[in-house]
Amino acid sequence: MGSIPITRSSFPAVMQRLYQAANRIEAQLLSDFLDRHLVDNAILGDYLTGAIGELPADVYPTVWVVHDDDLERARELLGRFLDDQHREPAGSWVCRGCGELVDGSFDICWRCGGERP
């Protein structure tokens, strides 16, 4: 995997490529997941897919980890992210807080914010 030098604050850093996404949405979902776990990251190449007819097919967006210290943790989180993508959809559930029927793809009740039992 390659690296791209960047400047953050007053010290240079080298970003490490973590994952090539299938599309912009997948890249953004992974980036948001990493952000929630306090892993600084960047999406590169996300606007190149508009020119896909004239460029090689490997211009899909990629997610990069900003700090080398976060790379191992980011790889573990990537594994969790990909496992969640392949998880069988769960059935609907009833919120214990308000009694609302919630679609199985959600872990939090849309009405009261209660968690899945």
Side-chain angles (χ1 to χ4, degrees):
M1 293 194 186
S3 61
I4 297 175
I6 64 163
T7 304
R8 180 177 186 203
S9 301
S10 60
F11 63 93
V14 177
M15 290 198 314
Q16 298 292 324
R17 182 178 167 179
L18 177 65
Y19 181 71
Q20 180 173 330
N23 54 52
R24 173 70 169 124
I25 295 170
E26 182 186 31
Q28 188 62 58
L29 288 171
L30 175 58
S31 177
D32 292 345
F33 182 72
L34 293 171
D35 283 343
R36 284 194 303 276
H37 290 87
L38 305 176
V39 175
D40 287 335
N41 66 88
I43 300 172
L44 300 178
D46 54 338
Y47 297 109
L48 293 177
T49 55
I52 194 101
E54 299 176 22
L55 296 175
D58 61 349
V59 295
Y60 298 105
T62 54
V63 178
W64 295 71
V65 176
V66 174
H67 304 287
D68 285 341
D69 296 347
D70 291 334
L71 187 57
E72 276 307 309
R73 188 159 167 259
R75 287 180 178 151
E76 291 172 16
L77 291 168
L78 172 62
R80 285 176 44 194
F81 176 81
L82 294 174
D83 287 346
D84 284 349
Q85 299 294 329
H86 298 104
R87 178 177 53 171
E88 289 293 319
S92 297
W93 54 279
V94 176
C95 178
R96 285 186 257 177
C98 67
E100 184 68 31
L101 180 64
V102 182
D103 185 83
S105 61
F106 296 99
D107 291 329
I108 297 175
C109 175
W110 67 270
R111 177 183 257 172
C112 72
E115 293 186 13
R116 177 194 297 266

